[in-house]
Every structure is written in C-alpha cells, then in structure tokens.
C-alpha cells in the first residue's frame, strides 16, 4: 500500500532525513487534509464501555487522554523519533521538562549521576540542587576529560549526563568514548542535543541511550512556542519514561506540537542556512577579535573531535571580548539588527551575555570555572542575509572600541 502521509514506519524509515522532516509521522483524518490536523481536545470518546476498558488496558489501539497521548502530539513524536533514529519519542511542555523527565524517571534515592560541568544553567541546577534534594548523588566533571568520567564512576552510578557542543562555551564532549565508558559501568548516557540539532548530530548513532531537546530552539525555530522531547528505545520508555510522563503531566500541548510539526518541515533548510551564516560571521569576526569560537574555524581547539561527530559546526558563534563586561555591553548596545535576547535557534539572530542573564544563577566561581567570563558573548545566527549580520557586528565592534 502507498503511504504518502508518513505513518507506516516500514516505509518512512527508508526515507532520507529531509523527506522524514517533511512527512514522517503524519496521519490523515477522514477528511483527507494535506496539512496535519490540530486535535485540540483533552479527551476522547469510546463507542462502548468495553472499548473504553480495552483502550485503558492497552489491548485496543487509540487515544484516551491528552496528558498521555494526542494525535497531533503523536505525529510530532513519530517525526522526531524517525529523524533521530529512536524507537520512541515523548514530547514535553518545555525543554526543561524533557531534561527533568529523562533524569528523574530512571533515578531513585541512592543512585549517582555524573554530569559534564558545562551544562545549560537550569540543567546545572538539576544536578547541583534538585537531584541531591531527593537523595540522588551527583558529580560534575570536565566533560572533555575521559579520565574524569572514568574516575567519577561509583558502584551506584546510573546515568551520565552531558551537552555537546555546550551552552554557551561550545565545549565538545566525545560522545562515542563517553558512551563506551557509561556502558562499561552499566550506566546510561543521556545527551542534551539542543545546540547540535538532530540535523547535525545524532547521538543515538554514536552510542547514547537517551537524547533530549528543547524544541523551543531550532525545531520551532521561529520563536513562537516552548516545547521539548525525550527520545529513547522502547525498553527505557516502558520501564522508566512513560509511567513518569503520564502520571506527572509534563505533556506538550497539541497546539505547540502542531507548530513544531510545521517547524520541522523547514528544519533542515533553516539549520543549513544558519550554519552558512555562522561560518561567514565567525570568519569575519575572527579577523578582529582574538577569541572567536565556531567548531569549523581552524583555530577551534576541539575542531577534529567536533567535526568527527557533527555534520557541520552549528549555528552559534561565541566570542570573548578582552574588555570584559563593559565592552560586551557596549557591543550589545551598539547592535542595530541583531536582537539582545536569550533564546537561540530562532530565525532572527540573537546576541546574549550569559554572565548577566542565562547563567547568572550560578555562583561567580562556578561561572568562571566553566569559562563563562564577563566578556563572553553568544550569538545565535538566524536567517538574515549574512552580509547584513557582518555589517551590524563590524559596526558594533567599532563602537565597542575593537
Ligand atoms: C533552552 C535550553 C534548554 C531548556 O529548554 P526550554 O525549552 O527553555 O525549557 C535546555 N538545554 C539547552 C542546551 C538549551 O539551550
């Protein structure tokens, strides 16, 4: 049978990633709509009491309640799962809901987690504050050092947690090697893959067990909706994730899932265009600023490792201005096109000062240990013409005295 919509995995798993992003997971209703339907419904009705019982038992296919599954959300989950090469996806209300669910669902008091220290601010809070509060021990290490991962392992270590490239410093962690160390010690590797996007890096293929996204970023990609997703195999889902997900209520709204589905149709095109822009901006900035970071720059310290696990260097450019906070603020305030904001992966370019915003909740010495200095700036490259971005940045560098 033909499946033009994309609901039959026997067919869709053979499609190229680009085709999957446009079509995988789509289901058509009786009205044969072209664009995915938005099922804004909290619940579902049953023909008979027996049917209700069978759906609750899991004997009959079908939906029961949108805290558990919903057709629009299911389409998005299937499209993401196909793209990532995962058996299962569970979409969540935010990226942080995805990170929290992936960790809390499989951990209990007495367990131990090893995390790379360079994590998104709220992920670091989970490690430093939340998990210990429930009797889960955590150790944060320099994720670039394989010896640090090895020596942090304890008999009760259950999970390794990391982000690569890391926000905001672009530190790279060797996914394949860290997955091997995790598995040698019966631990699971959970990866926050937001910066790389599923277009550029697929951690499951490199040995990770669970991949999480904030879909707020490139996957929506147009700055509209919050969302997240956890991707894993059936066993992790059945043993840990789904019971936690359905009973704690971290589900994504169908409206947001619909926006994400539309975002995915252009995800590949947008990420590649943003990478083009990032390469141009990074090369131009490198002529004027000493410390400019983008994984494809020849001066990027972990270039070989980054390019061995990512298809391209990504959409973020990071730099450190020698004049500290004062110069960073002067630069930001002089930008005329690029917005000062804290989101990323948006179609509009955004400049962020992590020291005073996204990472301010971390103690000063922790920020410095992570390389988040008062002069550090993170620029998320959008879809504007790169020449306009270069002009805007050059002008702001002039005004900031660089
Ligand atoms: C934004 C982000 C998150 C959190 O996602 P929200 O959708 O804002 O909850 C987690 N990790 C990384 C790397 C992020 O950039």
């Amino acid at each position: 049978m033909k499946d033009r919509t994309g609901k039959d995995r026997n067919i869709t798993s053979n499609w190229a990633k680009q085709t999957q992003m446009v079509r995988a997971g789509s289901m058509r209703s009786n009205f044969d709509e072209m664009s995915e339907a938005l099922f804004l419904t909290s619940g579902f009705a049953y023909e008979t009491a027996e049917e209700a019982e069978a759906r609750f038992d899991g004997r009959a296919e079908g939906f029961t309640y949108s805290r558990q599954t919903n057709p629009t959300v299911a389409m998005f989950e299937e499209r993401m799962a196909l793209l990532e090469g995962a058996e299962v996806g569970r979409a969540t209300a935010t990226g942080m809901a995805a990170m929290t669910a992936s960790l809390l669902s499989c951990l209990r008091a007495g367990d131990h987690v090893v995390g790379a220290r360079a994590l998104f601010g709220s992920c670091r809070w989970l490690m430093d504050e939340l998990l210990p509060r429930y009797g889960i021990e955590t150790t944060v290490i320099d994720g670039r050092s394989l010896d640090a991962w090895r020596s942090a392992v304890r008999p009760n270590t259950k999970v390794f947690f990391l982000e690569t490239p890391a926000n905001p410093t672009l530190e790279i962690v060797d996914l394949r090697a860290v997955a091997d160390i995790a598995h040698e010690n019966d631990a699971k590797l959970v990866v926050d893959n937001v910066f790389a996007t599923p277009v550029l890096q697929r951690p499951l293929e490199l040995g990770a067990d669970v991949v999480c996204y904030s879909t707020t970023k490139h996957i929506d990609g147009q700055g509209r909706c919050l969302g997240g997703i956890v991707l894993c195999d059936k066993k992790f889902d059945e043993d840990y994730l789904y019971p936690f997900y359905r009973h704690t209520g971290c589900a994504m709204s169908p409206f947001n899932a619909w926006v994400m589905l539309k975002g995915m149709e252009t995800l590949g095109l947008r990420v590649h265009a943003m990478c083009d822009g990032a390469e141009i901006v990074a090369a131009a900035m490198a002529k004027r600023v000493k410390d400019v970071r983008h994984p494809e720059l020849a001066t990027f310290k972990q270039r070989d490792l980054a390019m061995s696990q990512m298809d391209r260097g990504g959409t973020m450019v990071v730099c450190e201005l020698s004049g500290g906070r004062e110069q960073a603020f002067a630069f930001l305030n002089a930008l005329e096109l690029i917005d000062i904001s804290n989101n990323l992966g948006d179609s509009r370019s955004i400049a962020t000062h992590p020291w005073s915003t996204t990472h301010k909740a971390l103690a000063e010495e922790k920020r410095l240990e992570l390389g988040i200095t008062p002069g550090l700036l993170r620029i998320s490259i959008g879809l504007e013409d790169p020449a306009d971005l270069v002009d805007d940045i050059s002008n702001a560098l002039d005004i900031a005295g660089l």
Side-chain angles (χ1 to χ4, degrees), residues 57-71:
D57 286 352
R59 280 182 287 117
E61 292 267 317
F63 296 92
T64 55
Y65 191 52
S66 291
R67 167 148 49 73
Q68 290 147 28
T69 48
N70 166 285

Side-chain angles (χ1 to χ4, degrees), residues 94-96 99 120 123 163 167 192 194-195 214 216-217 226-227 344:
T94 66
M96 282 318 301
M99 311 301 160
F120 181 71
C123 293
E163 191 183 309
N167 178 13
D192 174 344
V194 169
F195 261 43
S214 162
T216 314
K217 312 295 166 57
L226 296 181
L344 61 97

Side-chain angles (χ1 to χ4, degrees), residues 32-223:
D32 296 321
E33 65 281 355
M34 271 299 292
S35 175
E36 293 82 0
L38 169 50
F39 291 94
L40 268 187
T41 179
S42 39
F44 301 84
Y46 316 94
E47 207 58 55
T48 61
E50 287 78 7
E51 172 68 14
E53 184 181 42
R55 277 201 224 165
F56 266 79
D57 286 352
R59 280 182 287 117
E61 292 267 317
F63 296 92
T64 55
Y65 191 52
S66 291
R67 167 148 49 73
Q68 290 147 28
T69 48
N70 166 285
T72 311
V73 179
M75 288 190 256
F76 172 59
E77 291 171 336
E78 175 67 4
R79 189 169 295 175
M80 279 298 296
L82 251 295
L83 178 60
E84 194 70 39
E87 287 176 344
V88 181
R90 297 282 173 199
T92 55
T94 66
M96 282 318 301
M99 311 301 160
T100 308
S102 68
L103 295 173
L104 277 186
S105 66
C106 68
L107 291 165
R108 61 177 64 230
D111 288 346
H112 175 240
V113 182
V114 185
R117 65 185 190 187
L119 290 173
F120 181 71
S122 297
C123 293
R124 191 61 200 263
W125 184 85
L126 296 181
M127 297 292 292
D128 294 349
E129 304 289 334
L130 187 77
L131 296 180
R133 207 183 275 178
Y134 295 97
I136 299 160
E137 301 170 44
T138 62
T139 308
V140 289
I141 54 149
D142 180 344
R144 294 170 298 183
S145 158
L146 298 180
D147 284 338
W149 289 101
R150 281 191 204 98
S151 44
V153 172
R154 299 180 192 168
N156 55 341
T157 303
K158 293 285 158 55
V159 168
F160 280 15
F161 182 46
L162 65 86
E163 191 183 309
T164 180
N167 178 13
T169 52
L170 302 186
E171 276 182 28
I172 308 290
V173 180
D174 186 335
L175 285 169
R176 219 182 288 265
V178 173
D180 287 346
I181 301 169
H183 298 153
E184 279 157 22
N185 292 286
D186 288 325
K188 296 201 181 303
L189 174 59
V190 178
V191 176
D192 174 344
N193 203 40
V194 169
F195 261 43
T197 82
V199 179
L200 303 179
Q201 174 172 275
R202 284 175 291 279
L204 296 181
E205 290 171 6
L206 301 170
D209 300 285
V210 179
V211 174
C212 303
Y213 289 98
S214 162
T215 66
T216 314
K217 312 295 166 57
H218 305 79
I219 292 169
D220 169 20
Q222 287 144 90

